[in-house]
Every structure is written in structure tokens, then in C-alpha cells.
């Protein structure tokens, strides 16, 4: 990797790690909220009003933070079937298109999440006592991270970094099993 990109990539790796830890902490905290609500409802016969909306808000955070980390780690949704039959240059083009689409989607998350936040800024969530804009903050925050991480992938690819090489060497488990089964047949000789 070029020396000029190393500090930025290291910072983004730390940012991704922090987002992943926050998502994990949110998942644990949401589980505690739900457990507390169940305990209060069925044991104390008095369910707190803040646990459900608090849990949903935490769930929004860990979903969008986790999705952004998935973008950086190239574990996001995609149609990989075509990538297994294309030459390396074709794979690079399709992956670049995928990252540009993710960048645009992240920008849309920021735009529309910000619009929803501005529409609900003056409302109050009654059970939590906070602004309604906080319901849409995870959408905009996840969009910011999606844009940053997809932009990182685009810049690295344009700089000639081999970010896709490891992906080109990995076969999905289903394909690997099928190739093993075919190679086990003495009448067929197929090597990958």
C-alpha cells in the first residue's frame, strides 16, 4: 500500500472497529432492555414504557453500524455468481460499479435521513422524552459511514491497491463442495 494512503486506511480501520464494538454493545444493551421489560411485565406486573422504543432505537444503531462495517469488509449484499466466471478485469469493473452504487445509496441515506430528522426535530418521543429526530439519526449516521467506507474502496482500487485479490482466491462453500464431488467422480477430471 502506498505510504500516502496508510494513515487514512489505518484511521478507517479504527473507525470500523469502533463502529463494530458500538454495534455489539448496542446488541447487548438491547437484549438487556428486552429482558428487563419481560421481567417487569411478567414478574412485577408493571412494564416500563421506555424499553420497547429504546430497544428499537438501539436496534437501528447496530443494524446501520454493522452494515457499514460490512461494506468496508466487503461482506455486503451482492450478486457474486457472475464474478466466478469473469476474468479479473471484468470482476474489477463490477466491483467498482457495486461500490459506486453503495456510495450513492449511502448518500441517499444521509439526504433522506437528514430530511426526516429535520421534520421530526421539534417532536418529542413521549416514552423517552427526547427529540423525534433521534429515531432517524442512525439512518444518517450509517449513511455517513457507508459513504466513507465505499469511497475508501473506490480510492484504493483506483490507486491500484490489490483489495480484490483475496476475494478472487476464495470460492464459496457451495461451489467448493460441488467441485469436490465432481473431482471424486473417476469419470470426470475438473481442476480449479
Amino acid at each position: 500500500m502506498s505510504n500516502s494512503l496508510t494513515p487514512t486506511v489505518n484511521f478507517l480501520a479504527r473507525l470500523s472497529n469502533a463502529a463494530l464494538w458500538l454495534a455489539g454493545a448496542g446488541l447487548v444493551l438491547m437484549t438487556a432492555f428486552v429482558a428487563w421489560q419481560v421481567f417487569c411485565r411478567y414478574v412485577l406486573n408493571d412494564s416500563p414504557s421506555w424499553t420497547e422504543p429504546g430497544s428499537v432505537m438501539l436496534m437501528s444503531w447496530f443494524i446501520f453500524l454493522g452494515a457499514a462495517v460490512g461494506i468496508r469488509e466487503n461482506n455486503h449484499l451482492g450478486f457474486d455468481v457472475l464474478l466466478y466466471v469473469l476474468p479479473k478485469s471484468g470482476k474489477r469493473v463490477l466491483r467498482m460499479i457495486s461500490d459506486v452504487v453503495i456510495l450513492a445509496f449511502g448518500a441517499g441515506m444521509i439526504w433522506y435521513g437528514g430530511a426526516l430528522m429535520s421534520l421530526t426535530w421539534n417532536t418529542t418521543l413521549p416514552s423517552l422524552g427526547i427529540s423525534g429526530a433521534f429515531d432517524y439519526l442512525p439512518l444518517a449516521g450509517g449513511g455517513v459511514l457507508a459513504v466513507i467506507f465505499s469511497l475508501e474502496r473506490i480510492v484504493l482500487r483506483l490507486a491500484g491497491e490489490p483489495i480484490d485479490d483475496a476475494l478472487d482466491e476464495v470460492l464459496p462453500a457451495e461451489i467448493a463442495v460441488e467441485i469436490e464431488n465432481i473431482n471424486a467422480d473417476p469419470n470426470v477430471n475438473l481442476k480449479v
Side-chain angles (χ1 to χ4, degrees), residues 5-161:
L5 293 174
T6 302
T8 304
V9 170
N10 288 339
F11 170 74
L12 292 177
R14 287 191 303 274
L15 180 63
S16 174
N17 233 3
L20 191 58
W21 276 97
L22 281 172
L27 178 61
V28 170
L29 193 56
M30 183 198 78
T31 304
F33 283 6
V34 171
W36 178 248
Q37 180 177 14
V38 169
F39 175 78
C40 288
R41 178 181 296 156
Y42 293 108
V43 175
L44 304 178
N45 215 14
D46 183 27
S47 185
S49 63
W50 59 269
T51 53
E52 185 178 347
S55 296
V56 170
M57 191 174 293
L58 284 170
M59 185 173 60
S60 297
W61 272 111
F62 73 72
I63 287 171
F64 286 116
L65 290 175
V69 171
I71 290 168
R72 184 169 197 278
E73 301 297 325
N74 200 38
N75 292 326
H76 54 81
L77 291 175
F79 296 103
D80 293 347
V81 175
L82 188 58
L83 293 175
Y84 298 113
V85 296
L86 287 176
K88 192 172 185 174
S89 61
K91 292 177 184 182
R92 184 172 186 246
V93 169
L94 285 182
R95 288 186 176 126
M96 183 65 87
I97 290 169
S98 175
D99 287 335
V100 169
V101 169
I102 291 168
L103 177 82
F105 189 80
M109 289 170 60
I110 296 167
W111 178 266
Y112 290 108
L116 289 168
M117 286 172 59
S118 69
L119 285 173
T120 57
W121 191 259
N122 293 323
T123 62
T124 301
L125 298 173
S127 54
L128 296 175
I130 60 176
S131 169
F134 284 100
D135 263 345
Y136 301 104
L137 186 59
L139 177 63
V144 168
L145 290 177
V147 165
I148 290 170
F149 293 148
S150 59
L151 192 59
E152 174 195 22
R153 295 183 57 74
I154 291 168
V155 168
L156 288 174
R157 195 174 287 114
L158 290 175
E161 296 297 329

